[in-house]
Amino acid sequence: MRKTLLLAAALLVGGAAVSSPAFAAVEKDYTNFYDPAAGGFVKIPKVQRARASESPIKRETIAYEGPYGEGTIIVNTAERRLYYVLGDGKALKYGIGVGRPGFTWTGAHRVTRKAEWPGWTPPPPMRKRQPDLPYHMPGGPDNPLGARAMYIGSTIYRIHGTAEPWTIGQAVSSGCIRMANEDVIDLYEHVAVGARVVVQH
């Protein structure tokens, strides 16, 4: 009888652990965002993914017959997609995060520098808006610029990775083009310094 009671108590404790609020929060912590390219709302987990560097929007090789030549980076901020023209009628298509309202921009520039695991020095306008930001943050997995960065012309903007891949597909940045680390590493391998960058809305 005592063994039966102990077994029942163990099962109750185990069941309580599985249904605890903390466990439920991990399972149900999702965010919904409107994906313009998909034409609807998409639900993605906000918590740590099985692979933290992975984008919720799958990278694709697509047909491309547009006006831009091989090696061009095309950023469509309304669609929240970045295209890298491969040539021979093909392009790579990536999901990106873009500038929030009031921080979007357009123009044509060149990649002037590339960096692996870059350090981050917030520009003065950003520090003015957010005085608690550090003056400089060394490169690493928690750095806001992620695993790679490609610097755009003489602007303050970059195409860079992120430690928050669940934000891909959203308008959350201060104007930079944000990619999941897996994707920015892939793009980095293709892009040369001097590559043309066209940002459209």
Side-chain angles (χ1 to χ4, degrees):
M1 178 68 177
R2 183 175 176 179
K3 286 183 179 179
T4 304
L5 289 172
L6 288 172
L7 179 60
L11 287 171
L12 284 171
V13 170
V18 169
S19 60
S20 69
F23 184 86
V26 170
E27 288 296 309
K28 296 179 181 179
D29 192 3
Y30 287 90
T31 183
N32 290 304
F33 71 93
Y34 184 78
D35 183 350
F41 283 90
V42 178
K43 178 184 279 190
I44 59 170
K46 193 176 180 180
V47 295
Q48 185 89 1
R49 296 170 59 83
R51 300 173 71 187
S53 61
E54 185 179 336
S55 172
I57 299 170
K58 187 179 178 182
R59 180 170 70 236
E60 301 177 77
T61 301
I62 62 166
Y64 175 77
E65 297 180 355
Y68 298 106
E70 181 178 349
T72 304
I73 297 169
I74 307 159
V75 175
N76 187 315
T77 58
E79 190 183 336
R80 297 173 195 170
R81 295 295 186 273
L82 180 149
Y83 300 86
Y84 178 77
V85 182
L86 295 169
D88 296 324
K90 293 182 180 179
L92 290 169
K93 179 181 179 182
Y94 304 86
I96 56 173
V98 299
R100 60 187 182 272
F103 290 86
T104 57
W105 58 282
T106 59
H109 299 276
R110 300 272 177 184
V111 172
T112 49
R113 186 162 78 90
K114 296 169 60 179
E116 299 185 14
W117 296 106
W120 179 50
T121 302
M126 183 180 287
R127 282 196 49 78
K128 188 174 180 180
R129 292 192 305 271
Q130 299 171 264
D132 58 331
L133 289 177
Y135 284 97
H136 179 77
M137 184 174 180
D142 297 324
N143 190 292
L145 298 186
R148 303 287 186 273
M150 286 154 276
Y151 296 76
I152 302 173
S154 58
T155 73
I156 61 171
Y157 304 118
R158 311 162 190 83
I159 299 167
H160 65 78
T162 180
E164 301 175 330
W166 57 84
T167 63
I168 301 304
Q170 302 185 60
V172 293
S173 80
S174 295
C176 285
I177 309 305
R178 182 182 293 193
M179 303 177 75
N181 280 334
E182 272 193 0
D183 285 346
V184 80
I185 290 170
D186 184 79
L187 179 65
Y188 187 94
E189 296 302 318
H190 291 283
V191 171
V193 171
R196 190 178 186 194
V197 181
V198 180
V199 180
Q200 306 170 329
H201 187 75

